[in-house]
Amino acid sequence: MDSKELLYDHYKETFSLIQSSVKQRNRLFVGLFFVIAVHFLLAVSPESIPAIIISIVQNQYKVDISNHMSIIQSFLWALLLYLSMSYYQSTVYIERQYHYIYSLETDIAGLANIKFDREGTNYLSNYPKMNDFIDFLYKWLFPLAYAILICYKIVTEYNTSFSLLSSLFNGAVFCACLILDILYLSFLHGRPKASKGK
């Protein structure tokens, strides 16, 4: 096997890994969005939403969780942290792999003396404005809205919480989520522009 075939096989394998990572990232985004929505509902209506949750659980499962809402909220914070870590790691991995695959395309094109730029120059040429807007939503609006929402949620929680232990735990998780979000924004916007997200 010559170097061109070896490089092309590596390119195909890398592209396949990216595609499976994109599917995983999309599923994580849906889960993250759902958990953020629940946090938002709990923040805007800290009394009625827990009452609805308690009522649903009692009617469906005949279990009284009225004294455990602080535990449930802590669980939601932990779930938010887990999904945030997974989503941001997945997105960063994809972004880095796209940079890598562009360099592979350049190497293959040079070795084979052909035009080979499906994911690089060809993809970015005549990039649709709609995709620019979607890129903005994912890379600016979502992380900023996420930061604002979790800040709002932790403030409302401290104003209504009666459990010191859960407040400390939730505050620590909030700090971790906020740091992750800032580092994610820093990664996306603090490096040279070489690609648009997919």
Side-chain angles (χ1 to χ4, degrees):
M1 181 180 289
D2 67 16
S3 58
K4 284 183 288 191
E5 290 176 342
L6 190 64
L7 204 55
Y8 184 62
D9 283 347
H10 180 58
Y11 172 84
K12 287 190 295 184
E13 184 183 349
T14 303
F15 187 72
S16 176
L17 288 171
I18 290 172
Q19 292 306 102
S20 62
S21 295
V22 166
K23 288 177 186 169
Q24 179 191 24
R25 178 202 60 190
N26 293 344
R27 286 192 299 270
L28 287 166
F29 181 81
V30 171
L32 184 58
F33 190 85
F34 176 76
V35 172
I36 289 172
V38 172
H39 273 279
F40 175 73
L41 291 173
L42 287 168
V44 296
S45 190
E47 292 170 1
S48 61
I49 296 300
I52 292 168
I53 293 170
I54 289 165
S55 173
I56 290 170
V57 170
Q58 283 178 337
N59 290 336
Q60 289 289 325
Y61 304 104
K62 309 295 186 225
V63 175
D64 183 12
I65 60 165
S66 55
N67 295 324
H68 303 291
M69 276 313 294
S70 63
I71 294 171
I72 292 168
Q73 292 213 46
S74 293
F75 171 76
L76 284 169
W77 274 107
L79 185 59
L80 180 68
L81 178 60
Y82 170 76
L83 288 171
S84 299
M85 286 189 301
S86 300
Y87 172 72
Y88 289 156
Q89 278 181 322
S90 181
T91 303
V92 167
Y93 172 79
I94 292 164
E95 289 288 322
R96 294 183 71 205
Q97 290 305 304
Y98 270 117
H99 282 273
Y100 180 59
I101 211 164
Y102 300 156
S103 70
L104 286 177
E105 286 184 341
T106 303
D107 293 344
I108 293 168
L111 281 172
N113 201 22
I114 58 170
K115 184 175 179 177
F116 194 83
D117 65 352
R118 181 184 66 189
E119 297 302 314
T121 311
N122 183 59
Y123 180 79
L124 294 175
S125 64
N126 299 318
Y127 197 74
K129 293 293 180 196
M130 178 193 72
N131 287 8
D132 274 331
F133 182 63
I134 291 169
D135 197 56
F136 168 78
L137 292 177
Y138 274 113
K139 293 182 179 177
W140 277 111
L141 189 64
F142 175 73
L144 292 174
Y146 172 99
I148 291 166
L149 188 125
I150 64 171
C151 288
Y152 178 65
K153 173 68 167 76
I154 201 70
V155 168
T156 59
E157 224 174 86
Y158 276 120
N159 290 335
T160 58
S161 178
F162 297 102
S163 168
L164 177 63
L165 189 60
S166 69
S167 293
L168 291 172
F169 174 80
N170 297 353
V173 175
F174 156 77
C175 289
C177 287
L178 189 60
I179 290 167
L180 272 175
D181 194 54
I182 291 166
L183 291 173
Y184 174 69
L185 274 168
S186 169
F187 168 79
L188 288 179
H189 305 291
R191 62 196 175 91
K193 294 268 184 186
S195 69
K196 300 279 189 180
K198 298 191 180 185

